[in-house]
Amino acid sequence: MAASNIRQLGVSVIPVEKDRADLLVIALPAGSRALPAAYSGVLGGGKGPVAALLGSGDFKGECGEAAMVYGASENYARVLLIGTGEAKAWTRERARAAIATAARRARDLAVNETRLVLPLVQGSDRSSEAELAAEVELAAEAALLGAYQYTGWKTVDLEKFKTAGNLTFVCAGGDAASLGRALERGRVRGEAVNFVRDLGNTPANHLTPTQLADKARDLAKQDGLKVRILDREACEKEGFGSFLSVAQGSAEPPQFIVLEYDCGRKDAPLIGLIGKGITFDSGGISIKPAAAMHEMKFDMCGAAAVLGTMKALKGLAVPVNVVAAIPATENMPGGRATKPGDVFTSYSGKTIEVQNTDAEGRLVLADALTWVARTYKPTAMLDFATLTGAVVIALGHYGAAILSNNDGLAARIAQASETSGDKSWRLPLWEDYPEHIKSDCADLKNIADGNAGGGTIAGGAFLAQFVDDVPWAHVDIAGTAWWDRDRPHLPKGPSGYGVRLLLDLLEGYGR
Ligand code: BES
Ligand code: MN
Ligand code: ZN
């Protein structure tokens, strides 16, 4: 159905001149006019097509540039030069893009054996043992991210979708065992992101709340987690009135999914992760316009990000305990659906007037947040949600909005954004906002007054009412979870946003 499209990743310390393959990938910085000495032997020295290409100045080495050269080497049928831009302006994002570009090329040509030389920038201060391992990890992740392709339910033209064979990163020295461990970490991370992308791509009729719960059960079995799933009746008993108000309009039974990861240390921090699991958002009675409604199969991407993260914890031996809660349901305008103006009692005890059934994400999250806060008393908790179209107005598709009641947590998220590449930007939760979500007949209403503006903040201000005193952050991924534009390590479609951010954040808690 879908795949990471690289058969196997590997790492090697065999020098390029002693090896052979179908493709050799070499990164070169901007302004390279001659081959670095390390490759001179295997690529025909000052003669041959690579030297000619570089000497011509046609290959600029700009970021994203790629040139395939044939007949340049006895050992390698093809040589791919990829540009990394100014050597001094190296960033992780640029490295990811370069590696993803190469991996995609290897995939599209169905190359059986590929060698890619690391570090990308030779002779730099990133050549130390630890830095080299970090680059191997980043490279493995970026290659899987870039080569991702989804074929879904296609039955024709499948021969156009290719798979790369072995992709091996060649390091000039270093400890093979520690490089192997780094590779494995990158593989686990990349596979987890691609798992999220698969879920995001899956049509809503093939990923119902029940099927999402089945995915969680599979994860629990494969990835060493505890799982518990509350059905409608159990949710009623628990008092999830806000969550169930969304579910009541759908024929599909809701599922409240709970996963637990135990790192083996009772005194380690416990982090709560909550993911919006609306498997389809029609808007309910406050129905959405038809034009883009099909896109709303992506409304479970918060849940998917949380599941993808949980999937990777054991493989990475993440040193914190984690509990995940996913309220999963469709939002549909059935005969029993919530009517605008209806009032419900949430798990917290607070009553909510539902003025707009399309503001359903905050309703399902409210109960999950309070339940996690009171049941687990976590060190911190984060929710991931495709909550508001307004976040695209605020930040475009490049970064998620952060709303938090805790500066320390917000700083940790900013740090994890920096290292992971999952960008984010904090918006304020000024004390003025709660004024706008007061109801005339209940404690709260689920949308702000018409003239309040700041739709993303309004969503966060609503959620903030349900977190008790737990340090909490809301991550609005409505802009970052999906984008209709191709980028090297972020092919168009679901991005898998959140997994890498969360993994870096969780690892940070353990340090
Ligand atoms: N799932 C949507 C958010 C969304 C909208 C994501 C458009 C991507 C594109 C969410 O449930 C929703 O409908 N939000 C409303 C909130 C409003 C009614 C206060 C929105 O953003 O329009
Ligand atoms: Mn909605
Ligand atoms: Zn929604």
Side-chain angles (χ1 to χ4, degrees):
M1 177 167 98
S4 292
N5 290 309
I6 299 173
R7 204 184 319 121
Q8 186 150 17
L9 291 171
V11 61
S12 144
V13 292
I14 301 168
V16 283
E17 66 274 11
K18 299 217 170 96
D19 205 357
R20 317 179 71 79
D22 306 302
L23 168 64
L24 175 67
V25 183
I26 294 172
L28 290 173
S32 304
R33 294 300 293 261
L35 269 176
Y39 316 120
S40 197
V42 77
L43 295 179
K47 297 189 267 304
V50 173
L53 171 60
L54 292 177
S56 74
D58 289 358
F59 181 80
K60 308 275 187 271
E62 274 162 22
C63 206
E65 201 177 344
M68 188 71 89
V69 184
Y70 295 83
S73 169
E74 302 245 310
N75 301 26
Y76 301 94
R78 309 174 184 84
V79 176
L80 178 66
L81 304 181
I82 45 175
T84 51
E86 278 297 323
K88 280 195 220 86
W90 186 94
T91 63
R92 288 190 188 82
E93 247 352 50
R94 285 182 167 205
R96 290 183 186 107
I99 305 233
T101 300
R104 235 192 261 198
R105 201 63 83 91
R107 177 198 72 193
D108 289 340
L109 297 172
V111 177
N112 196 36
E113 284 288 346
T114 302
R115 302 284 181 272
L116 189 155
V117 180
L118 293 180
L120 290 181
V121 182
Q122 296 281 310
S124 67
D125 53 359
R126 278 176 301 282
S127 305
S128 80
E129 186 86 37
E131 293 290 352
L132 189 55
E135 193 157 324
V136 167
E137 178 178 333
L138 175 145
E141 177 187 295
L144 290 172
L145 261 51
Y148 177 82
Q149 222 168 15
Y150 186 78
T151 54
W153 277 259
K154 282 182 188 294
T155 66
V156 296
D157 292 342
L158 285 170
E159 70 284 354
K160 290 185 186 153
F161 294 90
K162 309 285 192 201
T163 298
N166 297 325
L167 169 56
T168 302
F169 302 112
V170 185
C171 302
D175 171 42
S178 85
L179 293 176
R181 282 194 298 276
L183 182 88
E184 176 60 12
R185 293 175 55 80
R187 194 191 61 74
V188 168
R189 291 169 60 101
E191 299 281 6
V193 174
N194 286 344
F195 168 78
V196 176
R197 292 169 169 182
D198 279 353
L199 292 181
N201 269 318
T202 307
N205 66 323
H206 293 281
L207 191 63
T208 60
T210 303
Q211 286 165 311
L212 194 66
D214 288 340
K215 296 277 178 196
R217 286 191 188 93
D218 293 347
L219 283 196
K221 217 175 278 163
Q222 286 162 27
D223 303 288
L225 307 165
K226 246 169 73 183
V227 64
R228 186 150 58 102
I229 298 183
L230 282 66
D231 61 9
R232 194 191 297 268
E233 214 182 310
C235 288
E236 274 163 13
K237 269 199 200 124
E238 203 65 39
F240 291 159
S242 187
F243 171 47
L244 290 172
S245 80
V246 177
Q248 71 187 39
S250 169
E252 286 293 337
Q255 311 278 330
F256 191 94
I257 302 164
V258 185
L259 286 166
E260 291 177 17
Y261 165 75
D262 181 351
C263 74
R265 265 183 47 216
K266 283 217 179 343
D267 60 334
L270 169 63
I271 309 297
L273 303 179
I274 295 95
K276 172 178 173 182
I278 301 295
T279 60
F280 186 73
D281 181 11
S282 72
I285 297 298
S286 314
I287 199 159
K288 287 181 181 294
M293 200 196 277
H294 62 277
E295 293 176 1
M296 286 301 135
K297 71 172 181 179
F298 99 129
D299 216 16
M300 33 49 69
C301 280
V306 169
L307 287 179
T309 302
M310 297 304 284
K311 181 176 171 55
L313 297 177
K314 189 168 156 233
L316 298 172
V318 171
V320 292
N321 297 313
V322 185
V323 55
I326 293 169
T329 176
E330 291 181 337
N331 183 26
M332 295 288 280
R336 293 183 184 282
T338 292
K339 304 162 289 297
D342 287 357
V343 172
F344 299 90
T345 302
S346 67
Y347 176 79
S348 73
K350 291 184 176 150
T351 54
I352 304 168
E353 179 191 358
V354 178
Q355 285 197 346
N356 188 323
T357 64
D358 198 11
E360 85 295 343
R362 60 201 72 183
L363 295 173
V364 304
L365 292 172
D367 281 349
L369 285 166
T370 313
W371 183 78
V372 169
R374 294 186 186 168
T375 309
Y376 292 88
K377 309 207 171 2
T379 311
M381 61 183 182
L382 296 94
D383 74 77
F384 280 69
T386 48
L387 206 77
T388 64
V391 75
V392 181
I393 312 287
L395 299 174
H397 292 277
Y398 291 106
I402 306 296
L403 292 123
S404 180
N405 61 2
N406 185 283
D407 292 345
L409 176 58
R412 283 178 183 274
I413 294 169
Q415 176 65 32
S417 271
E418 188 62 35
T419 53
S420 68
D422 278 347
K423 297 188 189 76
S424 65
W425 198 255
R426 190 180 183 188
L427 299 178
L429 275 180
W430 289 314
E431 60 194 11
D432 311 77
Y433 288 98
E435 254 331 287
H436 294 281
I437 49 172
K438 282 191 177 151
S439 160
D440 292 337
C441 62
D443 299 336
L444 295 160
K445 57 184 179 186
N446 74 330
I447 53 167
D449 304 319
N451 58 359
T456 300
I457 298 176
F462 181 89
L463 295 176
Q465 312 302 312
F466 295 92
V467 303
D468 290 351
D469 296 328
V470 174
W472 151 84
H474 161 57
V475 187
D476 192 332
I477 61 168
T480 47
W482 191 292
W483 203 20
D484 287 325
R485 193 174 153 145
D486 222 13
R487 290 168 285 174
H489 62 292
L490 298 163
K492 80 177 198 182
S495 62
Y497 182 98
V499 171
R500 294 182 295 140
L501 177 77
L502 272 173
L503 290 175
D504 283 7
L505 179 85
L506 294 173
E507 303 240 27
Y509 267 101
R511 275 196 289 274

